[in-house]
């Protein structure tokens, strides 16, 4: 199991994933916001998933507990294999977001799946700061 | 639209087929079918898995260096659109493909010629070793001839008797 020390490490687990992102999953913040990148002794965790069935897929909003505060975030990739034409990522990636949907950071270096464009909802600002697409 | 190459078997991935995996160092891996995905997850090295093109090329079983293969290499600078260039490219692609197939087939043919030669030598050695099992083509011919002569003489004697 991943031991989050003063700098949160990602230990790669090789077991298959059952449900994408739910409460208590540890996520990886991929933008360049200070809240997402400053080290803390506990990894950022999902405490609520804003979807009908409490399972978070790409494009769903979640509530994160980071550095002792609550913050909303957008899921941009998960380890669970989804539809065949969407990429599977090696970590559960998340982008910090404000309540109105504006991203907190200014750049996203990690590849973002292109099917986010076609999804319902206003992701234009997040897509605008992304540098590469997959 | 682009026809990608499967990371594991180097086969073509057409649109609507296969799956993609993104590693945390942002390297993307495309796969043509679940066979390749499963092998990748098992951490198999494609250069050591015998049925993949990567193995065949690294083991010298298929054509690796050739001018016709240069056309397939990826170029990262975009070319300005030009209709005549596009049309000529399509024609050229057909011709290049033809030539490439012939050259690849020729390479494999030459590689397998050695096998035919070895087979022949093996056969000769086998015959030499087991020559005692084989009946010589001229074996028994002299006996046959003798018998025939005896029979002929007998017939002559009988004929002579008849005439007398």
């Amino acid at each position: 199991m991943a031991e989050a020390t003063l700098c949160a490490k990602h230990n790669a687990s090789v077991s298959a994933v059952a449900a994408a992102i739910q409460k208590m999953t540890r996520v990886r913040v991929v933008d360049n916001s200070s809240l997402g990148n400053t080290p803390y002794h506990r990894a950022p965790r999902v405490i609520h998933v804003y979807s009908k069935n409490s399972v978070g897929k790409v494009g769903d909003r979640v509530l994160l507990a980071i550095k002792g505060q609550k913050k909303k975030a957008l899921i941009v990739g998960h380890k669970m294999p989804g539809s065949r034409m969407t990429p599977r990522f090696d970590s559960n990636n998340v982008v910090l977001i404000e309540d109105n949907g504006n991203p907190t950071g200014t750049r996203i270096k990690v590849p973002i799946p292109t099917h986010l464009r076609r999804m319902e909802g206003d992701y234009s600002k997040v897509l605008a700061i992304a540098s590469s697409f997959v | 639209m682009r026809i990608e190459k499967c990371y594991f078997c180097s086969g073509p991935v057409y649109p609507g087929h296969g799956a993609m995996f993104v590693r945390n160092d942002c390297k993307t891996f495309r796969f043509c079918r679940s066979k390749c995905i499963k092998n990748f997850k098992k951490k198999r090295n494609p250069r050591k898995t015998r049925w993949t093109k990567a193995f065949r090329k690294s083991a010298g079983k298929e054509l690796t260096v050739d001018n016709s293969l240069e056309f397939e290499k990826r170029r990262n600078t975009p070319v300005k659109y030009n209709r005549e260039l596009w049309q000529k490219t399509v024609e050229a692609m057909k011709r290049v493909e033809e030539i490439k197939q012939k050259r690849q087939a020729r390479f494999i043919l030459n590689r397998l010629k050695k096998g035919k030669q070895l087979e022949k030598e093996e056969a000769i050695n086998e015959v030499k070793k087991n020559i005692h099992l084989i009946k010589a083509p001229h074996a028994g011919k002299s006996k046959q001839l003798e018998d025939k002569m005896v029979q002929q003489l007998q017939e002559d004697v009988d004929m002579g008797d008849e005439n007398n």
Side-chain angles (χ1 to χ4, degrees), chain B residues 25 48 66 81 94 113 119 135 138 148 152 164:
Chain B
D25 60 358
K48 290 191 159 182
D66 193 46
Y81 178 77
K94 293 184 197 164
K113 266 191 202 160
E119 230 177 85
K135 184 171 148 175
H138 60 76
K148 212 171 173 186
Q152 200 73 23
N164 285 359

Side-chain angles (χ1 to χ4, degrees), chain A residues 65-107:
Chain A
I66 295 187
K67 296 191 79 183
Q69 24 180 304
K70 296 184 283 197
K71 188 83 182 161
K72 287 225 174 104
L74 179 76
I75 301 176
V76 290
H78 51 71
K79 289 180 89 167
M80 177 167 164
S83 141
R84 238 51 43 148
M85 293 312 281
T86 57
R88 180 179 87 85
F89 291 82
D90 216 7
S91 57
N92 299 316
N93 300 339
V94 116
V95 168
L96 295 185
I97 237 175
E98 306 295 329
D99 281 335
N100 51 14
N102 294 355
T104 314
T106 55
R107 203 180 289 159

Side-chain angles (χ1 to χ4, degrees), chain B residues 26-140:
Chain B
C26 302
K27 176 151 189 210
T28 56
F29 297 86
R30 285 180 197 268
F31 303 101
C32 57
R33 54 206 200 277
S34 62
K35 175 180 185 179
C36 301
I37 301 175
K38 285 175 184 162
N39 274 300
F40 177 78
K41 282 194 186 167
K42 289 185 176 193
K43 300 190 166 189
R44 294 217 178 127
N45 185 357
R47 303 188 109 236
K48 290 191 159 182
T49 320
R50 299 193 83 93
W51 53 271
T52 58
K53 274 281 196 257
F55 171 85
R56 303 207 89 219
K57 296 215 163 174
S58 75
K61 296 199 184 285
E62 286 201 357
L63 194 61
T64 35
V65 283
D66 193 46
N67 284 342
S68 58
L69 298 171
E70 293 288 315
F71 289 100
E72 286 172 5
K73 297 230 167 106
R74 189 184 179 132
R75 287 144 190 68
N76 287 320
T77 59
V79 178
K80 195 165 184 180
Y81 178 77
N82 180 355
R83 180 181 253 177
E84 284 121 36
L85 180 69
W86 217 240
Q87 285 170 343
K88 281 218 189 104
T89 309
V90 175
E91 296 297 320
M93 273 164 74
K94 293 184 197 164
R95 181 81 185 119
V96 165
E97 188 64 28
E98 228 181 276
I99 296 175
K100 186 172 63 133
Q101 298 291 5
K102 282 199 201 149
R103 287 192 188 179
Q104 283 172 339
R106 168 79 12 120
F107 183 85
I108 293 179
L109 199 76
N110 288 340
R111 190 167 64 83
L112 298 175
K113 266 191 202 160
K114 185 85 169 99
K116 286 218 187 327
Q117 189 195 352
L118 289 173
E119 230 177 85
K120 203 165 182 190
E121 285 175 17
E122 265 294 310
I124 293 175
N125 280 340
E126 199 182 325
V127 166
K128 281 199 185 144
K129 220 163 128 181
N130 303 320
I131 198 85
H132 59 282
L133 296 171
I134 300 175
K135 184 171 148 175
H138 60 76

